[in-house]
Amino acid sequence: MGTITCLRKYFLISFFIISAGLMFFLPTQALALDSLCAVVKIEILQELMLERQAFDAHMRINNGLSNIFLENVNVVVTFSDKDGNPVLASSDQHLVDENSAIKFFIRADSDGIAGSSEGWSIDPVGPSSVADLHWLIIPAPGSSNGLESGTLYFVGAKLTYKIGGEEHITEVTPDYIYVKPLPQLQLDYFLTKDVFGDDAFTKETTEPSIPFTLGVRIKNNGAGTARNLKIDSAQPKIKENVQHLLIGFAILGSQVNGSPTSKSLLVDFGDIAPSKASVGRWIMSCSLSGSFEEFTAQVSHSDELGGELTSLMRQGDIHPHFLVKDVLVDLPGRDSICDFLGHEPDNPDNLTIYESDSTDTAVSDLSSSLTFNSPIQSGSEIRYTLSMPPT
């Protein structure tokens, strides 16, 4: 096996499905004061990409015989740690390794190779010809052991083949690779609960749509930097509309860390260092007024790049929240980027501020200590005041 080359430009691709059910209260034809409930479900597909470390294992099999084929060619790619202990690698992209025993995903990356990590079958090598073979190797989470300098591994191979029915075995001298620390991503999504557009109870007027927010905060809980991270969003797609409402959803533009992205739906977060976070927002509109009652987010990782085995985020790392309001925590040392005040969809009383710098702070409900004072009228102006003790 000639060389093990470190690749820096492979992209982790994860697809997010964001689903939300919007509930409307519409007037009945009989009584304007009565209402009926209508539900519309939308889906927003998003694609997350970032650069990550990968390796190209390259083997050249040169058949110098002028009239004989190399047949029954088989290659087993082997992995070991710095002490020579065997290390597990797998080609099963649907495998979830909770114990981090599997350190690498490997797949054939050129024609003429079939099989799996248990053993790769190679097409017969013709007389006076060369088989040029490549495998893509992607480190799994935990393979770097969190070492900033990287963790050393050796990659070799065992080659078997037959010439004229006689089996030959060649042990390929291992080459070394260093696996750098990997990021581990957590995504918190935020969706405005109440949205405002045309009011179905006012048939004589058409109210304009008020933009609302779909936000995301990406935290890097790993030891390595998440490099060149981007999220590309599709426009909302209606998945369920039983009452056939005349309704439309649209993403009008996006922001990253408070700065607009020229009406593009692609949010470029750049690099996110360990223990840091970055935030993005998509500005949306809905043609009718309503209230989101359901909000979920699901993630799947590209099988071509290792699927669940190499994914730098799990389904448990994706958290949907309803957004109460954009706020700004102005404590000393904080940044000037808006933060999210929100709650989990099934726990509206548990309010939390999710800060852009990755800090989470529970919010105390002081409503019971608040006093609503009697209104004071001054001319045509009526003034209301609220009082509460300092905390």
Side-chain angles (χ1 to χ4, degrees):
M1 189 170 295
T3 56
I4 308 296
T5 306
C6 178
L7 304 178
R8 296 287 184 180
K9 293 297 183 180
Y10 269 88
F11 285 91
L12 167 73
I13 303 177
S14 295
F15 297 94
F16 297 93
I17 300 177
I18 303 169
S19 301
L22 185 61
M23 184 175 294
F24 301 90
F25 295 95
L26 306 176
T28 64
Q29 294 181 353
L31 296 172
L33 294 179
D34 292 336
S35 63
L36 59 89
C37 176
V39 176
V40 172
K41 291 187 177 180
I42 64 172
E43 179 181 271
I44 303 173
L45 296 178
Q46 296 191 331
E47 182 180 80
L48 181 148
M49 300 164 287
L50 77 157
E51 293 179 8
R52 66 176 301 172
Q53 188 181 39
F55 302 91
D56 174 46
H58 181 200
M59 172 184 281
R60 291 172 59 89
I61 302 176
N62 186 5
N63 182 3
L65 302 175
S66 60
N67 57 358
I68 299 179
F69 278 82
L70 302 185
E71 299 178 318
N72 297 106
V73 183
N74 185 273
V75 174
V76 176
V77 181
T78 60
F79 297 80
S80 60
D81 62 18
K82 63 180 180 63
D83 298 319
N85 300 311
V87 170
L88 294 178
S90 176
S91 56
D92 185 355
Q93 66 269 29
H94 300 295
L95 185 64
V96 180
D97 181 35
E98 300 293 346
N99 298 320
S100 299
I102 298 175
K103 301 298 185 182
F104 296 95
F105 167 76
I106 182 171
R107 76 154 200 242
D109 209 29
S110 59
D111 295 333
I113 306 176
S116 69
S117 51
E118 300 297 321
W120 304 95
S121 177
I122 312 301
D123 289 348
V125 183
S128 303
S129 65
V130 176
D132 201 46
L133 309 174
H134 292 267
W135 288 265
L136 176 66
I137 299 170
I138 300 179
S143 56
S144 70
N145 299 318
L147 299 178
E148 184 176 354
S149 59
T151 297
L152 175 66
Y153 293 95
F154 292 93
V155 183
K158 179 181 179 181
L159 170 65
T160 62
Y161 57 94
K162 287 185 178 181
I163 299 177
E166 182 182 351
E167 185 176 75
H168 296 261
I169 299 175
T170 299
E171 296 286 347
V172 179
T173 303
D175 203 346
Y176 68 89
I177 58 175
Y178 274 96
V179 177
K180 297 294 185 179
L182 299 174
Q184 186 67 41
L185 303 180
Q186 173 185 321
L187 274 67
D188 290 279
Y189 271 100
F190 302 89
L191 178 66
T192 304
K193 183 173 178 61
D194 298 313
V195 298
F196 299 95
D198 184 33
D199 188 343
F201 288 94
T202 58
K203 293 184 178 180
E204 66 279 1
T205 59
T206 300
E207 290 80 11
S209 297
I210 298 177
F212 63 96
T213 296
L214 170 65
V216 64
R217 184 188 65 176
I218 304 178
K219 291 177 63 175
N220 182 3
N221 296 322
T225 298
R227 300 190 183 280
N228 197 20
L229 192 150
K230 301 179 177 68
I231 294 182
D232 195 7
S233 181
Q235 287 287 353
K237 182 178 180 180
I238 295 178
K239 299 296 291 183
E240 181 178 319
N241 186 3
V242 177
Q243 287 83 5
H244 302 291
L245 297 180
L246 295 176
I247 184 173
F249 299 87
I251 297 180
L252 308 177
S254 58
Q255 300 175 357
V256 58
N257 292 325
S259 299
T261 59
S262 303
K263 296 186 178 180
S264 170
L265 302 187
L266 176 67
V267 176
D268 188 347
F269 294 90
D271 295 348
I272 303 178
S275 302
K276 298 295 183 181
S278 190
V279 298
R281 287 173 170 82
W282 291 269
I283 311 304
M284 298 182 61
S285 68
C286 178
S287 59
L288 292 179
S289 292
S291 178
F292 283 110
E293 299 297 323
E294 177 185 305
F295 180 34
T296 61
Q298 296 178 326
V299 60
S300 63
H301 178 46
S302 173
D303 285 348
E304 292 184 355
L305 298 179
E308 293 294 325
L309 180 58
T310 61
S311 179
L312 300 181
M313 69 195 82
R314 306 296 188 195
Q315 182 61 45
D317 297 323
I318 313 299
H319 306 286
H321 311 272
F322 277 126
L323 176 65
V324 176
K325 192 173 181 62
D326 284 330
V327 297
L328 182 64
V329 176
D330 58 358
L331 295 174
R334 298 299 206 275
D335 57 34
S336 59
I337 300 171
C338 277
D339 309 300
F340 301 100
L341 173 62
H343 61 80
E344 297 176 355
D346 58 351
N347 195 358
D349 296 328
N350 188 17
L351 290 176
T352 301
I353 292 181
Y354 302 88
E355 297 187 38
S356 58
D357 70 348
S358 79
T359 303
D360 295 348
T361 306
V363 176
S364 300
D365 185 356
L366 302 179
S367 301
S368 61
S369 62
L370 182 142
T371 302
F372 186 71
N373 301 317
S374 300
I376 301 174
Q377 185 163 0
S378 177
S380 61
E381 182 182 80
I382 300 177
R383 180 173 300 174
Y384 298 85
T385 59
L386 303 174
S387 301
M388 69 165 45
T391 60

